Amino acid sequence: MDNPDVREIVAPSSGVHVILPGYYSPARMGLIDPSTSDGRVIFFLPWQGNTIAGTTDAPTEIKAHPLASEEEIDWILAEIRRYLTLDINVRRGDVLATWSGIRPLVRDPKAKNTESLVRNHLVDVSESGLLTIAGGKWTTYRQMAEEGVDEAIRQFRLKVKPMKDAPRVSDTETVDDGACLDGSCQTHRVKLVGAHGYSKTLFIRLIQHFGVETDVARHLVDSYGDRAWAVAALSSPTELRFPVRGIRLSALYPFVDGEVRYAVRHEYAQTAADVIARRTRLAFLNAQAALEALPKVIDIMGDELNWDHKRRELEWKETVSFLASMGLPKSKLGASRGDVESGKTATYETDEYKLYSRHG
């Protein structure tokens, strides 16, 4: 930015992940292997009731919605077979979702070998004084922020001072982070939103107060912390004796209608893709289930945001197209809302049918 002749330091890398049924991995045990057939690292972990496996690592171009190639999916499945007994057949048809993420690997501009890549993050200050922080990943954002701010304080001789009247993230005066806002870094003590009223038994209180199902209550507490109260309150009555509240978006997963309303009212969700992929993780867990949940999601969001018929049709078209990047089969990309609601998309097309060995 400060030097137009400087070489680009970010090298985008593609990493493909596949989602398999939960029976492929123990609930509390994962595996990581740095010695695969071609030297890449692969992991195999339980995740939200399913199994996640990955990842590939290859240079790529930056795209809004990159697609996982069949070659990369096949490589992951082939590696997985090495960890399982011979009588278990890992089938392409078992893949519930697959996606390609782009990770920003970086080159250190001050390193002797300018081709070597840094796989974590990099903080650099140029000769003109421009501070750059690049690379990293979501799970290290606090460390990145801390190191970036600390470097700015050192480089530019900034003076820190106590912060008075800090906003209450917990929304209540009765809960305190315990952070001493004297100007020093407190990120290791400041709790995330939802952590202030969290307890391991909170899900029980949620069941007793709202009459939600046990797995739904656990999911809400694990995902939202003390904000689970608000999500449950926004969930519709079922008109059943039990559960009393919480209409599932998919029978296979504990996501409920209140999460859609909460996403719109409190988490700035503006599109159906925001909800099924970026607020909940349904699209990442099961592309077909996300497609089948889409009518409910669009209806709830449409009521919340006053969408007209034209906008709802646009949301359908764009979200189904987005699900291609989540591994939705090509045969389903032209599905209409009527196809989904009639159950037509729940049946196997010929090409899908052949994916299962018992039909091959």
Side-chain angles (χ1 to χ4, degrees), residues 295-339:
K296 290 180 185 176
V297 172
I298 290 177
D299 283 348
I300 296 171
M301 294 190 73
D303 293 343
E304 289 287 319
L305 297 169
N306 296 316
W307 287 347
D308 58 18
H309 178 74
K310 184 177 180 181
R311 174 60 190 271
R312 295 182 193 223
E313 286 291 316
L314 179 64
E315 283 297 318
W316 180 268
K317 180 179 178 181
E318 291 188 345
T319 310
V320 172
S321 177
F322 164 78
L323 286 174
S325 66
M326 295 286 105
L328 187 70
K330 291 181 180 179
S331 60
K332 304 292 176 66
L333 295 178
S336 68
R337 175 167 178 156
D339 292 336

Side-chain angles (χ1 to χ4, degrees), residues 40-252:
R40 288 182 286 185
V41 175
I42 195 168
F43 59 79
F44 194 60
L45 303 167
W47 185 52
Q48 296 206 15
N50 287 350
T51 300
I52 184 171
T55 176
T56 58
D57 185 3
T60 187
E61 296 180 358
I62 297 177
K63 300 176 183 177
H65 302 300
L67 301 177
S69 71
E70 284 299 318
E71 180 181 3
E72 292 170 309
I73 295 170
D74 289 343
W75 179 81
I76 293 173
L77 296 181
E79 293 298 321
I80 288 172
R81 292 186 184 102
R82 298 170 54 205
Y83 311 122
L84 303 173
T85 58
L86 296 177
D87 60 333
I88 296 179
N89 183 14
V90 182
R91 309 170 301 185
R92 177 60 177 85
D94 286 338
V95 176
L96 303 175
T98 180
W99 70 90
S100 175
I102 299 178
R103 183 177 178 184
L105 304 183
V106 289
R107 300 183 183 91
D108 186 345
K110 295 187 171 106
K112 292 182 179 179
N113 181 4
T114 57
E115 294 299 323
S116 63
L117 297 174
V118 177
R119 295 191 171 273
N120 41 32
H121 60 272
L122 171 73
V123 178
D124 178 68
V125 180
S126 67
E127 293 182 0
S128 69
L130 177 68
L131 189 150
T132 299
I133 181 163
K137 48 191 175 180
W138 290 118
T139 51
T140 59
Y141 79 95
R142 281 194 171 194
Q143 182 182 353
M144 293 170 65
E146 180 179 352
E147 292 181 11
V149 171
D150 286 349
E151 186 63 24
I153 291 171
R154 284 193 296 270
Q155 290 288 334
F156 310 123
R157 298 181 177 85
L158 304 177
K159 293 184 178 180
V160 299
K161 56 184 179 180
M163 184 177 184
K164 298 180 180 179
D165 301 320
R168 289 282 182 175
V169 177
S170 64
D171 287 337
T172 175
E173 295 296 321
T174 62
V175 179
D176 193 347
D177 279 320
C180 178
L181 302 181
D182 59 358
S184 62
C185 180
Q186 296 291 313
T187 188
H188 59 292
R189 298 180 69 178
V190 176
K191 296 178 181 179
L192 295 174
V193 172
H196 301 81
Y198 171 83
S199 71
K200 292 182 179 179
T201 58
L202 179 57
F203 79 97
I204 299 174
R205 294 160 59 199
L206 217 61
I207 295 169
Q208 293 175 336
H209 190 81
F210 290 104
V212 295
E213 294 175 273
T214 301
D215 62 333
V216 170
R218 287 183 181 275
H219 155 69
L220 294 181
V221 170
D222 289 346
S223 299
Y224 299 92
D226 60 24
R227 297 304 195 272
W229 289 105
V231 180
L234 290 171
S235 299
S236 299
T238 64
E239 308 301 332
L240 301 173
R241 185 176 182 278
F242 191 85
V244 179
R245 282 185 179 269
I247 298 174
R248 292 184 185 241
L249 302 181
S250 167
L252 301 174

